[in-house]
Amino acid sequence: MRRRPRRRRLGGMDATGTLPGWDTLAALDDDALPLLDVALLIARDEYPDLDPRRYALRVQGHAAHLRGVVERESHPALKMRAINRYLFEEVGYAGNHDEYYDPRNSYLNEVFERRLGNPVSLALVQMAVAREVGLPLDGISFPGHFLVRLPVDDGVLVMDPFNRGRPLDVDELRERAQAHLGGRAPDDEVLSRILNPASNRAILVRVLRNLHAVYHGHGDWERATRSADRVLRLLPGDPEALRDRGAGYLQLGHVAGAREDLQRYLLLRPHAEDAASIRLRLVETGRAPARLH
């Protein structure tokens, strides 16, 4: 695709060991969110002893190894190929094809330690290292698997971090998108919009929605509800996250919180496909005593 990219700042990992607080994030502009710091903040919910300095140093170490190699290459595509060769062949980062829905694939500390991840978490590693050596690698919230993009000449190079950073041509991108667009292949204009860079907020929300889907599928309502709550810290009032948190509260017996979230969801999405079933659940919960905490 021939389109000049919008420049996006990756945001922060540094060696201070200080992560932002959840209550500070909603007020930040999308691209002011420190992407890797917040990704580690998500992981700290599950790993409270996590030390972010360890992973700041990991990124810096990868970059230090690559900087000379990258500087010797003249073209951005060749620089990116050197980065991918190092990360995916020498260091051994890989997509976890065997256990795709393992929640550890979404926690950035585990991705650094195990060198296994899902598309968006591997993209976070790839983006961090590329940015550290001066390449403006962006994420793409592509339907299905998350992808990355790099400006080259008057177009963009699109790559699949889940499959060792393999480049994707226009025909394959159309085919991949078609499966998520009702079977219709996107034209140039639609595909170009799909390939727009994802904001830091959109990337972080995708991480959290992946976690919610995994935990919901496992019936782990505490963690599923926590994931939906964290989406709301980034996107206050998001209808789907309100619904998901409210449904989790119901499963956990927090009736008052569930009713509040689900009523707000219905106000925002009165004609949603699940609106009738949610109204019925609200009627039923109105007959049950609230759980006190």
Side-chain angles (χ1 to χ4, degrees):
M1 299 298 297
R2 300 295 180 183
R3 183 185 179 99
R4 285 290 180 186
R6 292 162 57 193
R7 301 292 184 182
R8 295 186 181 274
R9 187 175 67 85
L10 185 65
M13 187 187 292
D14 60 33
T16 65
T18 302
L19 295 178
W22 281 108
D23 292 337
T24 69
L25 303 181
L28 296 177
D29 291 339
D30 283 0
D31 296 325
L33 282 167
L35 182 57
L36 292 175
D37 286 350
V38 180
L40 287 169
L41 186 65
I42 292 169
R44 197 170 65 180
D45 279 338
E46 190 67 18
Y47 303 90
D49 296 328
L50 176 153
D51 181 0
R53 291 170 296 186
R54 177 179 179 89
Y55 306 107
L57 292 172
R58 189 73 55 88
V59 170
Q60 292 163 15
H62 290 333
H65 179 91
L66 279 164
R67 194 164 281 112
V69 177
V70 168
E71 287 173 355
R72 286 195 294 271
E73 299 290 356
S74 59
H75 194 275
L78 296 178
K79 295 176 186 287
M80 195 67 233
R81 187 169 68 179
I83 292 171
N84 287 340
R85 184 186 303 117
Y86 171 71
L87 291 177
F88 298 115
E89 296 180 18
E90 295 183 37
V91 180
Y93 289 102
N96 193 345
H97 293 265
D98 294 333
E99 296 181 295
Y100 186 85
Y101 297 104
D102 187 328
R104 292 176 294 179
N105 295 332
S106 289
Y107 291 123
L108 194 58
N109 61 319
E110 288 281 11
V111 176
F112 278 116
E113 298 295 348
R114 301 170 69 233
R115 298 175 185 173
L116 285 173
N118 58 26
V120 65
S121 64
L122 290 169
L124 286 169
V125 174
Q126 197 181 16
M127 292 165 64
V129 175
R131 291 279 181 162
E132 190 73 15
V133 297
L135 285 185
L137 191 65
D138 285 317
I140 304 171
S141 285
F142 202 81
H145 282 184
F146 196 85
L147 302 175
V148 295
R149 51 172 282 166
L150 180 73
V152 290
D153 301 326
D154 59 345
V156 291
L157 172 65
V158 179
M159 293 162 283
D160 181 354
F162 193 64
N163 289 291
R164 301 161 66 97
R166 182 171 69 84
L168 305 174
D169 62 22
V170 171
D171 290 339
E172 184 170 356
L173 289 167
R174 288 192 205 282
E175 183 179 349
R176 287 190 178 203
Q178 181 174 348
H180 301 274
L181 298 174
R184 292 189 304 171
D187 60 22
D188 285 349
E189 182 179 353
V190 171
L191 185 58
S192 182
R193 287 200 302 268
I194 291 173
L195 295 177
N196 276 338
S199 71
N200 290 352
R201 192 178 307 272
I203 295 170
L204 295 163
V205 166
R206 187 150 176 165
V207 171
L208 288 163
R209 292 201 196 282
N210 285 345
L211 283 167
H212 177 269
V214 169
Y215 289 132
H216 182 276
H218 292 165
D220 187 339
W221 299 111
E222 182 177 348
R223 289 181 171 87
T225 304
R226 180 182 72 194
S227 300
D229 177 75
R230 294 318 195 190
V231 172
L232 289 165
R233 302 300 183 100
L234 291 164
L235 291 174
D238 178 75
E240 286 71 27
L242 284 167
R243 178 199 60 200
D244 293 342
R245 189 176 69 176
Y249 281 159
L250 274 183
Q251 293 289 337
L252 295 170
H254 305 315
V255 176
R259 289 182 61 83
E260 180 179 350
D261 280 353
L262 296 178
Q263 286 168 350
R264 288 178 64 197
Y265 171 70
L266 290 174
L267 285 173
L268 294 167
R269 295 285 189 271
H271 304 297
E273 290 184 4
D274 56 359
S277 63
I278 288 176
R279 289 190 182 97
L280 178 60
R281 296 180 77 180
L282 284 171
V283 170
E284 292 171 346
T285 59
R287 302 170 186 151
R291 181 174 170 182
L292 299 178
H293 291 275

